[in-house]
Amino acid sequence: MPIISKYSTEQIESLMQDLQTVLQSHNASVDLGLLALGNLATHIINKQVPEALRADVASSFAKALQQSITDTKKVIQ
């Protein structure tokens, strides 16, 4: 069953493009970009998710990330 997002493709793609533009403007290498995005994900979870749910949200995020890089049907360009 496909996952249905509450966000439109346009919203997601626009935000992704903005984030990519910022990384490019800083000439961020792959490892620096991933470090910054990982730190941002941690910050968002710690500041916006109730403490009791943080571990589950982080686990779900990590699982979704792992699935997205192994799913050959999803390609981000």
Side-chain angles (χ1 to χ4, degrees), residues 20-38:
Q20 187 173 12
T21 298
V22 169
L23 292 173
Q24 288 173 343
S25 75
H26 287 270
N27 296 315
S29 61
V30 172
D31 56 335
L32 177 57
L34 291 173
L35 177 67
L37 292 171

Side-chain angles (χ1 to χ4, degrees), residues 31-52:
D31 56 335
L32 177 57
L34 291 173
L35 177 67
L37 292 171
N39 286 347
L40 179 58
T42 299
H43 177 77
I44 290 169
I45 290 168
N46 284 335
K47 296 297 180 183
Q48 298 182 19
V49 176
E51 187 173 358

Side-chain angles (χ1 to χ4, degrees), residues 7-77:
Y7 304 103
S8 71
T9 300
E10 293 78 20
Q11 284 177 297
I12 295 167
E13 288 179 359
S14 176
L15 182 54
M16 284 176 44
Q17 184 59 51
D18 288 348
L19 293 169
Q20 187 173 12
T21 298
V22 169
L23 292 173
Q24 288 173 343
S25 75
H26 287 270
N27 296 315
S29 61
V30 172
D31 56 335
L32 177 57
L34 291 173
L35 177 67
L37 292 171
N39 286 347
L40 179 58
T42 299
H43 177 77
I44 290 169
I45 290 168
N46 284 335
K47 296 297 180 183
Q48 298 182 19
V49 176
E51 187 173 358
L53 300 176
R54 290 178 189 161
D56 288 338
V57 169
S59 179
S60 294
F61 180 80
K63 183 178 177 182
L65 176 61
Q66 188 67 41
Q67 287 176 338
S68 73
I69 62 170
T70 58
D71 185 351
T72 58
K73 295 178 185 176
K74 295 180 182 179
V75 177
I76 299 175
Q77 297 179 354

